[in-house]
Amino acid sequence: MDIHNLEEAVALTKKFTSKPSNEELLRLYSLYKQATEGDNNEERPGGFDFVAAAKYNSWLALKGKSKEEASNEYVELVKQLSSKYI
């Protein structure tokens, strides 16, 4: 795949013909959030919202990674996943 930036990678994910695994989706989510917003400074979700907690923790694990590095990793991950899901 010939994608060069975050926007192209996001557009490509919309062409996936099947859904990536939950682990792959979490990785995409956390890299996207880190690339677009930087470190996670949101409040930890409470209660029994396990999906929100998993997303929060996945993003929090990337703390300190630059937006550029996260963006590059997102693009590379989409390239890998596109061979499985397109």
Side-chain angles (χ1 to χ4, degrees), residues 51-67:
V51 172
K55 290 168 111 178
Y56 176 91
N57 290 332
S58 182
W59 181 17
L60 188 64
L62 299 180
K63 187 171 187 158
K65 185 180 294 282
S66 73
K67 287 182 176 184

Side-chain angles (χ1 to χ4, degrees), residues 7-57:
E7 292 77 24
E8 290 175 0
V10 169
L12 186 58
T13 65
K14 295 178 184 351
K15 296 179 181 178
F16 287 2
T17 56
S18 58
K19 185 178 174 185
S21 71
N22 287 339
E23 183 178 309
E24 291 165 336
L25 289 171
L26 265 179
R27 187 73 181 148
L28 285 169
Y29 171 83
S30 60
L31 285 169
Y32 179 81
K33 292 293 274 187
Q34 190 71 18
T36 57
E37 296 183 32
D39 288 344
N40 182 349
N41 293 314
E42 295 182 1
E43 287 193 29
R44 183 178 299 277
F48 293 98
D49 191 345
F50 299 115
V51 172
K55 290 168 111 178
Y56 176 91
N57 290 332

